[in-house]
Amino acid sequence: MAIISSTVPFEWKIARVTPIFKNGPRNLLNNYRPISILPAVSKLFEKVLYEQLHEYLVTQELLSPRQFGFRKFHSTASALLDSTNEWFINMDRGLFNIAGFLDLQKAFDTINHDILLTKLDLYGLQKPSLNLLGSYLANRTQMCSVNGALSGTKLVTCGIPQGSILGPLLFLIYINDLPNSLEYSSTRMFADDTTLTVSGKSIQDVEVAINHDLTNVKQWLYCK
């Protein structure tokens, strides 16, 4: 019924967040990892959406080949092998390598829903699918659970649902066009973790090129 009406029930969009202590002083919020628990029925629904959206993206070859995260037959190991292979080839040619390593803080929590839906539209999703995903993202709420006590609910206005099945795939779509902003660098991504590689005949050349592309990434982040 949700697929036919392109509307996700409100009850399926309530997350119960449990803070798990990591390390350091216990009175600092940043020392806790939030674990989100979603309704079981919503996870089954997401599984259906994931399979259909993933099949479409793979069939149409829309996912960047530079993305190694959350994809079948891809991993951190394959990303590392791909990077080191390029570095060794450049070294054999007598070129200098320079690499920049980027890690976006709380990347999954900063996703702008309007921009994500615009990108899904550009990738060819039909109106009913866009409406369904828009309903999936909109009006989500969360509450905090500590020692069995629940807080009040709070509206979530950005980001993709933590602990969801569909969330990682939506994030890949969101960051999918980052390599298009680069002029001199080759790149490998594992979700938001990104490596930029530039090679050249002199250290000065590669420094100029990598700094230029880091500026391009900064601009992409402002406009994404």
Side-chain angles (χ1 to χ4, degrees):
M1 192 66 183
I3 293 178
I4 295 175
S5 64
S6 296
T7 303
V8 179
F10 173 76
E11 293 79 9
W12 294 4
K13 299 188 288 185
I14 302 174
R16 187 176 77 251
V17 180
T18 301
I20 303 299
F21 178 69
K22 296 186 293 185
N23 52 54
R26 289 184 175 270
N27 62 330
L28 298 181
L29 294 180
N30 288 337
N31 292 334
Y32 291 81
R33 183 186 306 279
I35 304 299
S36 294
I37 305 298
L38 297 170
V41 65
S42 73
K43 303 291 278 291
L44 295 174
F45 176 69
E46 285 187 55
K47 183 66 174 177
V48 175
L49 295 185
Y50 177 93
E51 294 295 341
Q52 294 183 2
L53 181 57
H54 182 265
E55 181 180 1
Y56 171 75
L57 295 171
V58 171
T59 301
Q60 300 299 317
E61 299 182 346
L62 294 174
L63 290 177
S64 171
R66 302 290 86 198
Q67 178 61 257
F68 291 81
F70 306 122
R71 300 183 64 192
K72 192 175 183 179
F73 305 124
H74 293 71
S75 66
T76 52
S78 56
L80 180 59
L81 287 171
D82 197 53
S83 294
T84 53
N85 184 59
E86 180 186 1
W87 297 339
F88 284 127
I89 290 174
N90 290 336
M91 292 167 63
D92 289 341
R93 293 173 177 171
L95 302 176
F96 290 95
N97 289 311
I98 188 168
F101 299 89
L102 309 179
D103 182 11
L104 304 181
Q105 186 176 22
K106 297 187 181 299
F108 279 50
D109 297 330
T110 60
I111 301 301
N112 182 294
H113 295 166
D114 290 335
I115 294 177
L116 174 58
L117 291 171
T118 298
K119 292 187 176 186
L120 288 166
D121 186 20
L122 291 173
Y123 287 144
L125 267 70
Q126 300 299 308
K127 195 66 174 179
S129 298
L130 290 173
N131 290 339
L132 179 60
L133 290 171
S135 175
Y136 169 80
L137 293 168
N139 299 317
R140 302 192 73 93
T141 60
Q142 63 183 23
M143 62 183 72
C144 189
S145 174
V146 178
N147 296 327
L150 288 175
S151 71
T153 59
K154 184 175 179 61
L155 187 65
V156 180
T157 59
C158 63
I160 55 175
Q162 298 287 349
S164 65
I165 293 175
L166 193 57
L169 182 59
L170 293 178
F171 181 81
L172 295 191
I173 295 169
Y174 194 76
I175 203 171
N176 195 54
D177 59 347
L178 185 151
N180 297 341
S181 69
L182 305 174
E183 295 183 43
Y184 302 105
S185 306
S186 62
T187 182
R188 284 92 183 166
M189 299 183 293
F190 190 90
D192 63 297
D193 295 333
T194 304
T195 301
L196 307 182
T197 295
V198 174
S199 61
K201 294 182 178 180
S202 71
I203 295 178
Q204 291 77 15
D205 289 342
V206 293
E207 284 181 345
V208 170
I210 194 73
N211 285 327
H212 180 82
D213 274 348
L214 287 172
T215 301
N216 287 341
V217 172
K218 180 180 179 181
Q219 185 62 34
W220 181 88
L221 290 169
Y222 280 135
C223 299
K224 73 181 189 310

